[in-house]
Amino acid sequence: MELETERGADRRAELLAAAARVIARRGYAGTRFQDVAEEAGVAVGTLQHHFGTRSRMLSEALEQWLDESDAQLAILRGGEGDAWERLQGILTYVGTRIGERNPAWNMWLDFTGAALKDRELRRSAGRSQQRWEAAFADTIAEGTAAGVFHPVTSAREVASVLSALLDGIGLQIFATDSDMSGAEATERLVATAQALLRPDSA
């Protein structure tokens, strides 16, 4: 029974990954059960069995991607170096992925747009925003307590600015056909963090 449960969970994860790929290409509004079924090589009925509704499938696809992002964020936060070095690692990771036009970021921006008219998606988007801001804020607070940072305002406010800047750069790149590179995106993020945090080692 346990093995069957694990297989079911693995299958569900595979279907959600297929949904995420389709959303990245077609957008939230343009993704249908049929599109995901073709991507995953399954029948539409299989998707309906696992998720019930299209809205739930798309919402869970976002949640799975957010969980994967959270796991990567946890690895970067727990890396070597002081708080400034680790924060730069997080910003470099994200800036590079945005600059490389990673499809997952296109999916995130599309979801945030769709969330304007969908309460369930707003809850998911809000939870993700809170997790990222908390990760930034915790790292900043740690660095401040250790004397690494001398922030111009509270850790929470700096975290909010950095989170908003991430979304803003992503929107600029994906929505306006900007030619900004990953290196340039990272440079903007790190420069902003440096100006707000005034780290000793910068």
Side-chain angles (χ1 to χ4, degrees):
M1 179 64 72
E2 183 176 346
L3 182 58
E4 290 180 3
T5 301
E6 290 178 359
R7 287 176 177 171
D10 289 343
R11 186 54 171 158
R12 191 181 185 88
E14 291 171 0
L15 295 174
L16 290 173
R21 292 193 298 272
V22 175
I23 296 166
R25 292 197 306 268
R26 299 179 61 92
Y28 175 81
T31 296
R32 305 167 302 167
F33 265 140
Q34 184 62 43
D35 303 315
V36 178
E38 291 175 1
E39 177 75 18
V42 299
V44 169
T46 300
L47 298 177
Q48 293 171 328
H49 168 73
H50 279 279
F51 307 109
T53 66
R54 168 187 174 277
S55 178
R56 182 172 180 181
M57 176 185 68
L58 299 183
S59 181
E60 287 194 30
L62 172 63
E63 288 289 347
Q64 177 166 291
W65 175 71
L66 294 176
D67 288 344
E68 292 169 356
S69 297
D70 286 347
Q72 182 61 46
L73 182 59
I75 292 171
L76 293 169
R77 286 184 60 201
E80 297 181 355
D82 63 20
W84 176 232
E85 291 170 326
R86 284 183 277 116
L87 182 60
Q88 287 184 91
I90 295 171
L91 297 175
T92 298
Y93 169 76
V94 179
T96 299
R97 287 171 68 82
I98 294 175
E100 290 176 346
R101 281 63 177 171
N102 186 281
W105 275 93
N106 190 31
M107 182 181 76
W108 165 246
L109 292 171
D110 192 69
F111 260 114
T112 56
L116 293 173
K117 298 181 180 180
D118 188 314
R119 185 179 298 275
E120 184 176 350
L121 289 182
R122 281 201 298 276
R123 287 195 291 267
S124 295
R127 286 194 297 270
S128 172
Q129 201 77 18
Q130 290 169 4
R131 290 196 294 251
W132 274 90
E133 288 189 15
F136 283 136
D138 289 347
T139 303
I140 293 166
E142 177 190 333
T144 301
V148 174
F149 296 140
H150 308 280
V152 300
T153 186
S154 70
R156 184 66 61 182
E157 289 178 347
V158 173
S160 180
V161 170
L162 292 177
S163 179
L165 184 58
L166 284 175
D167 285 342
I169 290 176
L171 187 63
Q172 181 179 349
I173 286 176
F174 285 101
T176 67
D177 291 327
S178 168
D179 60 359
M180 187 188 305
S181 68
E184 290 170 328
T186 298
E187 183 179 359
R188 291 189 185 187
L189 291 166
V190 172
T192 300
Q194 183 176 335
L196 293 172
L197 296 173
R198 299 182 296 186
D200 283 336
S201 58

